[in-house]
């Protein structure tokens, strides 16, 4: 599932390709996403242009001219493809590979620009969504109004997190996954952050000491920045059909690595997998206390 770094790379990729192009046509192959796409509203896009693309948490905000915003969440398997004027297909982030044979049947919405350029919203499991919001009402939007701070902003710091965690009985894994505490993290990055911070995912947050809280902040910023950088550079020219598969998984130290040897120097323990609130947690029993 795409988390903050993957969505940020989508944003940066699309900024380079689709801004200020007039939208000529939109077709819906299947609008039954997490919320059914409103056909009337999507027709409002015709004649407009995307003038800015922003990211908040795991949401993409496409700003259009004439006070109109399109809000997109990629859910579990949502992805955007860009087709250029020569019909060449490009990926827009690093969490998936292109599959020319299979992709097409999951193309849900197609946005047509001038010169035959296209933006395709593809979603296998259809947990993502596309909604439209008037600019004025945007800040009150139900998906955005209760989000905690962006982890890469200064507001997300030691004092904030210490105060947030104070007295709470929840475990640290669920706390960091909670979008009200910090926005944009999901299962993959929380596993990674706790591994590099040496903290057992089951620890109650009220029992974390200052040094541990501080490590969480530091590692969150470091890991996210690093992933955005690596992910962005791996699709630099945005075009990937060289058949390289599964590189995404290689970016992580513990996520998806049950039974593999811990990557810390001098630790020969195998990575364990446990389930916390129905989500897989990967950690090293020796390095994470
Ligand atoms: Zn270890």
């Amino acid at each position: 599932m795409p988390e903050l770094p993957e969505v940020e790379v989508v944003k940066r990729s699309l900024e380079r390709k689709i801004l200020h192009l007039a939208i000529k046509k939109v077709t819906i192959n299947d609008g039954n996403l997490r919320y059914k796409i409103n056909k009337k509203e999507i027709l409002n896009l015709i004649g407009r242009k995307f003038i800015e693309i922003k990211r908040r948490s795991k949401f993409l905000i496409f700003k259009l001219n004439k006070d109109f915003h399109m809000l997109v969440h990629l859910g579990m398997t949502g992805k955007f493809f860009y087709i250029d004027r020569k019909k060449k297909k490009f990926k827009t982030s690093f969490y998936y590979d292109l599959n020319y044979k299979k992709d097409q049947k999951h193309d849900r919405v197609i946005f047509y620009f001038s010169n035959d350029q296209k933006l395709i919203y593809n979603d296998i499991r259809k947990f993502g969504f596309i909604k439209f919001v008037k600019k004025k009402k945007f800040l009150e939007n139900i998906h955005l109004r209760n989000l905690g701070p962006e982890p890469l902003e200064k507001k997300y710091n030691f004092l904030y997190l210490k105060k947030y965690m104070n007295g709470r009985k929840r475990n640290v894994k669920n706390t960091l996954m909670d979008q009200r505490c910090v926005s944009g993290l999901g299962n993959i990055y929380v596993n990674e952050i706790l591994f590099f911070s040496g903290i057992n995912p089951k620890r109650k947050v009220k029992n974390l000491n200052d040094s541990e809280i501080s490590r969480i902040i530091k590692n969150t910023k470091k890991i996210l920045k690093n992933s955005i950088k690596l992910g962005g550079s791996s699709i630099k020219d945005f075009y990937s059909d060289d058949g390289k598969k599964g590189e995404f998984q290689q970016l992580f130290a513990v996520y998806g690595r049950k039974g593999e040897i811990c990557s810390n120097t001098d630790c020969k323990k195998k990575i364990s997998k446990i389930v916390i609130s129905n989500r897989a947690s990967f950690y090293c029993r020796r390095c994470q206390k």
Side-chain angles (χ1 to χ4, degrees), residues 23-72:
I23 302 165
K24 289 172 67 181
K25 189 172 92 174
V26 183
T27 53
I28 304 174
N29 295 338
D30 183 351
N32 294 311
L33 304 179
R34 188 159 116 207
Y35 307 107
K36 199 173 160 95
I37 292 180
N38 185 320
K39 284 186 187 166
K40 263 191 192 161
E41 282 184 334
I42 209 164
L43 290 178
N44 280 324
L45 294 182
I46 296 166
R48 285 188 157 95
K49 296 170 180 181
F50 295 118
I51 52 171
E52 195 184 358
I53 304 170
K54 298 203 125 199
R55 180 195 56 74
R56 172 80 171 104
S57 181
K58 299 172 214 169
F59 296 93
L60 286 163
I61 300 152
F62 293 76
K63 297 191 173 180
L64 292 125
N65 53 335
K66 301 181 204 159
D67 294 343
F68 201 59
H69 291 351
M70 180 171 93
L71 180 67
V72 176

